[in-house]
Amino acid sequence: MKRAGLRLMPLFALLAAHAAQAQSALPAIAIKTAADGAQTYSLTFQVLILMTLLTLLPAILLAMTAFTRIIIVLSILRQALGMATTPSNQILTGLALFMTFFVMSSTIEQSYAAGVKPYLDGQLAGEPAIERTAQPLKKFMLAQTRENDLQLFTKLSGKTQFATPDDVPLSVLIPTFMTSELKTAFQIGFMVFIPFLIIDLVVASVLMSMGMMMLSPVLVSLPFKIMLFVVVDGWTLLMGTLASSFHQ
């Protein structure tokens, strides 16, 4: 055992020297402040920030984009049609995701041009780049929020009224935006649900008048609801309505 330990000691020494050399060449966390007050970060610190943003990406997608409204309306549509698993969750999620990219394309382009590209070109430091990147997103969210919802969360946060929309912090804007999106999504879902509900009521009344109480009204009304949705070109109509419901 002692001989094995003596044989491994040069290997441990080599690994320690290599780690020390790597640490001296690439510091873990380093923040340098220039004469004008701009701060630059080391490469490892930038990678750490990037990985943190990637972990927060699903939350950002749900809380700061059009995804929530679209996926809720699509789920209500599937429930109104009476098909629990068709289209599948994967199809609805994919459709909602790409519809979100379509709706948010101009906002994403503005965020990239205002903050991400100047940062990659070395024209902006980290903090100003983040602020400029978030400005188009804040503008998009403010356009979708209701005034009463914003006043409610402003009051709950213990803050006074904001002078300009740019003064609204994300801690107040994000829950306000999500509350407004849920309300709007359920309003659109209600309008989508009504025609299919009428078909269900008519079919149930006809079956009851014919004495066919053992036959499920949902089973009979399903072909009529699918036919109605196809005849009116429902997918195109619904996607167009959802895309136009967002105020830019």
Side-chain angles (χ1 to χ4, degrees):
M1 293 295 293
K2 292 182 179 179
R3 291 181 180 179
L6 292 174
R7 292 176 181 176
L8 291 176
M9 285 181 64
L11 179 59
F12 291 151
L14 181 61
L15 291 176
H18 180 71
Q21 183 180 2
Q23 185 175 4
S24 61
L26 188 64
I29 297 177
I31 303 176
K32 297 180 180 180
T33 304
D36 57 352
Q39 293 181 341
T40 58
Y41 306 98
S42 63
L43 179 60
T44 51
F45 193 56
Q46 295 179 20
V47 173
L48 178 62
I49 295 175
L50 178 61
M51 296 302 295
T52 304
L53 291 176
L54 288 178
T55 57
L56 294 176
L57 186 60
I60 294 174
L61 178 65
L62 291 173
M64 301 176 66
T65 65
F67 182 82
T68 300
R69 183 189 304 187
I70 296 172
I71 192 64
I72 289 177
V73 173
L74 292 178
S75 300
I76 292 177
L77 171 65
R78 185 174 65 177
Q79 186 70 26
L81 286 172
M83 296 183 293
T85 58
T86 305
S88 63
N89 292 330
Q90 292 83 356
I91 294 176
L92 289 185
T93 304
L95 180 58
L97 185 61
F98 283 102
M99 275 295 298
T100 302
F101 288 152
F102 174 77
V103 172
M104 302 288 298
S105 58
S106 60
T107 304
I108 294 173
E109 291 174 359
Q110 294 174 11
S111 297
Y112 179 80
V116 178
K117 191 176 185 302
Y119 175 75
L120 295 177
D121 295 339
Q123 300 175 0
L124 277 180
E127 294 181 3
I130 294 176
E131 293 178 0
R132 292 191 181 184
T133 303
Q135 283 301 320
L137 285 174
K138 291 180 65 176
K139 181 180 178 181
F140 172 81
M141 289 189 290
L142 282 169
Q144 320 307 321
T145 57
R146 292 175 171 81
E147 185 66 26
N148 56 346
D149 294 336
L150 183 58
Q151 292 178 359
L152 172 64
F153 282 96
T154 301
K155 181 180 179 181
L156 292 176
S157 65
K159 298 179 181 179
T160 58
Q161 296 294 329
F162 301 102
T164 61
D166 295 335
D167 297 334
V168 181
L170 289 176
S171 59
V172 175
L173 181 57
I174 291 177
T176 305
F177 171 74
M178 293 191 68
T179 303
S180 298
E181 284 295 283
L182 289 172
K183 187 181 298 184
T184 304
F186 276 88
Q187 288 177 350
I188 298 175
F190 172 78
M191 300 302 297
V192 171
F193 209 106
I194 290 299
F196 302 108
L197 179 61
I198 294 175
I199 293 177
D200 285 334
L201 291 175
V202 171
V203 170
S205 301
V206 171
L207 291 178
M208 186 173 295
S209 63
M210 295 176 64
M212 299 180 179
M213 299 182 182
M214 300 301 295
L215 186 60
S216 174
V218 177
L219 182 63
V220 178
S221 63
L222 180 59
F224 294 99
K225 291 189 287 187
I226 294 176
M227 182 183 65
L228 172 66
F229 194 67
V230 172
V231 167
V232 300
D233 199 6
W235 287 113
T236 303
L237 184 61
L238 182 63
M239 294 298 104
T241 303
L242 281 174
S244 61
S245 66
F246 292 94
H247 305 285
Q248 297 292 338

